[in-house]
Amino acid sequence: MAIPSPRPGTPQGAGTIAAALLIASVVLLVRGGSFLTEHIDSDEWAYILMGADVAKGHLPFVHQFDLKPPVVFLLFGAVIALFGKSLLAIRLIGAAAVFIASFFGFLIARRAVGGWPALAGALMTVALCSGVLGLDTSSELPAIAFLMPAVWLLVRKDEIGLRDAAGCGLLVALAVLTRTNLAVVALALGLLLLGHSLSLSGRCARRAWLAYGAAGLVPPAVLAAVYAVAGELATFRLAMIDVPLAYSGQLSALEVLRLHATQYYYTAQIAPFAYIPMTLLAAAGMVASLLPLLPRSSARTRVVLVTWSGLLAVSASLLIGGAAYPHYWLQAMPFLGIFAAFAIAAAARAGRMSMIALPLAAALAAVPPLAALATGAPRTLALLRHPESSGHDIRDAADWIRQHGGTHPRVWALHMHLVLYYLDAPPLSRAGVYPSNLARKAIIDTLSKHGYVSADETGRIMASAPRFVVTDRMDRGRTWVREAGKDIDGWLAAHYRLAARFGDVEIYERI
């Protein structure tokens, strides 16, 4: 069975709109049930706290710190300033980002393999970004929403012009300012453009690499200028260079690889219907992209080059990041979806074997989105029928503290730190937006070395005896304090009483 490769200039408006509507519908169905859920991932709470500080008119990092570049905080801050304390608005950022990344993945793959294999790959991307990982609005999601349109600009035409190269550079810079590790991807795409510019094919403007680099410098230059005008250039450097470099040196690339492999093993056991089909199809698509299994064209060659460059660069950036968490994989999912599309297209062209290969590939491609819909759609429909059914234990805890603590109570959130957002209360340490950062030596030692915080922020907070301490029944909050070498259990027993409990949220009040 032949897979048509769309020719440049071929009208595809109706098909593109239909694909966009289908992708958007699946995104909303699989993610909608979690739009009002307070507790998905605690990283998101830190972004919300940083965004709330931005919404008050402050620059990121000046008043409080979290280990991410500023664009995600600026994005959250803009949404909070426009819509107030709306968890729905925050979650819609993530939904929009998954749609954008998946849709542009579809457009990229379609240039090489045709419409329906590309659509299948895009729907697999939605499923992998909206299941056991990605239902919260993590920083990875806005990052891939910037990155995939940037990649699209490199493949959308047979020739790469200066405007497309500049647009790509601008978008990649925004991706890097959302996830620092994507600087490796920025370098890879720049080198790819340089190679195209120097080739004799004539399919790339000679100064495309220069346009890419010049445009890519604009966002960081603007940010640096803003911080310089505010007299906070040293803070900008500390947050953007010094602390990330210290953090990335925690683990070797080999140790990070081992951790990712272990986490993949367990994550695939939790969500086999998502990870196993995607792994099999993406691996087959990588092979297919390198073999003459599909019609050769300049568009296909370009898509193969940028997809390989993007995936390898993301993988390399994760290995040198100094830590390993499964949600980092979200940055690779759109590229894996494109490779899955290659596998499906190759299966359709497998000659006599296509009678077996195509149904198998189609079945594998259908499993992740169907599994995601089977899990997510009932939750979404239930939420639409009964929106009041979503639990709000952290908000209830904040209401209790507000009623019992008077005006501006001092609250130390060891975990469940979204309570500070509801209370409009600042963290008790500038470095404690994500509470356990106070126990991460790479972060706290670097910040204290530059005078941002004291060398023993945890001890300082304990000595100040805050009125309330908020933690969780699962003991995550107390655990990181113990790891910091503090007797949190003895301290609580001596000075505090368990005053209230809302679900997994515990509130201790000073005796």
Side-chain angles (χ1 to χ4, degrees), residues 58 72 97 120 140 158 191 210 220 263 285-286 311 386-387 465 473 492 497:
H58 301 152
V72 66
E140 289 83 2
D158 279 357
L191 292 174
L210 186 58
Q263 290 163 347
M286 291 176 198
L311 181 60
H386 304 289
R473 296 179 68 178
L492 285 173
R497 66 180 181 90

Side-chain angles (χ1 to χ4, degrees), residues 20-336:
L21 290 174
L22 178 59
I23 294 169
S25 299
V26 174
V27 168
L28 291 174
L29 281 172
V30 300
R31 299 180 68 89
S34 64
F35 279 173
L36 299 180
T37 303
E38 280 186 327
H39 191 180
I40 299 177
D41 188 275
S42 55
D43 283 7
E44 183 185 50
W45 299 337
Y47 307 154
I48 290 173
L49 289 174
M50 292 289 289
D53 188 57
V54 169
K56 295 174 183 176
H58 301 152
L59 285 172
F61 315 124
V62 172
H63 291 86
Q64 52 193 41
F65 172 87
D66 189 43
L67 186 64
K68 291 294 180 292
V71 165
V72 66
F73 307 139
L74 294 171
L75 182 60
F76 274 53
V79 168
I80 292 169
L82 287 171
F83 301 105
K85 286 184 171 60
S86 171
L87 198 57
L88 173 62
I90 295 295
R91 295 287 162 71
L92 284 173
I93 298 173
V98 171
F99 166 75
I100 291 168
S102 302
F103 177 66
F104 277 92
F106 159 75
L107 294 178
I108 293 164
R110 188 176 66 175
R111 286 282 289 164
V113 300
W116 70 266
L119 181 58
L123 294 177
M124 293 182 76
T125 301
V126 172
L128 270 291
C129 291
S130 306
V132 67
L133 304 174
L135 285 175
D136 61 306
T137 300
S138 63
S139 62
E140 289 83 2
L141 297 184
I144 59 176
F146 289 124
L147 182 59
M148 297 316 292
V151 172
W152 161 240
L153 288 174
L154 298 184
V155 304
R156 72 187 186 101
K157 297 178 181 176
D158 279 357
E159 298 181 5
I160 303 175
L162 293 177
R163 186 174 298 177
D164 284 340
C168 178
L170 185 66
L171 288 168
V172 168
L174 292 173
V176 173
L177 290 171
T178 308
R179 289 287 309 181
T180 309
N181 65 286
L182 292 177
V184 180
V185 180
L187 176 62
L189 294 181
L191 292 174
L192 185 65
L193 264 178
L194 178 61
H196 274 303
S197 300
L198 298 177
S199 71
L200 301 178
S201 65
R203 295 187 178 276
C204 183
R206 290 294 183 188
R207 292 184 175 83
W209 63 275
L210 186 58
Y212 170 88
L217 289 175
V218 171
V222 169
L223 275 173
V226 170
Y227 276 86
V229 169
E232 295 289 349
L233 193 57
T235 302
F236 183 65
R237 175 191 166 89
L238 175 64
M240 290 296 295
I241 299 175
D242 297 328
V243 180
L245 284 177
Y247 190 82
S248 66
Q250 295 179 108
L251 298 174
S252 69
L254 189 59
E255 290 171 316
V256 170
L257 177 61
R258 179 184 60 81
L259 285 173
H260 276 304
T262 302
Q263 290 163 347
Y264 174 84
Y265 173 77
Y266 289 110
T267 306
Q269 287 185 329
I270 296 170
F273 296 120
Y275 282 84
I276 293 175
M278 177 64 101
T279 301
L280 293 174
L281 282 176
M286 291 176 198
V287 174
S289 71
L290 300 176
L291 298 177
L293 301 176
L294 294 167
R296 291 191 177 277
S297 68
S298 60
R300 176 182 176 273
T301 300
R302 181 99 49 77
V303 170
V304 169
L305 283 173
V306 298
T307 305
W308 270 108
S309 297
L311 181 60
L312 291 175
V314 167
S315 301
S317 76
L318 299 187
L319 291 180
I320 63 175
Y325 297 102
H327 59 83
Y328 292 177
W329 307 339
L330 293 170
Q331 298 167 89
M333 294 306 176
F335 296 108
L336 296 179

Side-chain angles (χ1 to χ4, degrees), residues 372-386:
L373 285 167
T375 303
R379 290 202 302 256
T380 300
L381 296 176
L383 184 64
L384 289 172
R385 288 193 297 267
H386 304 289

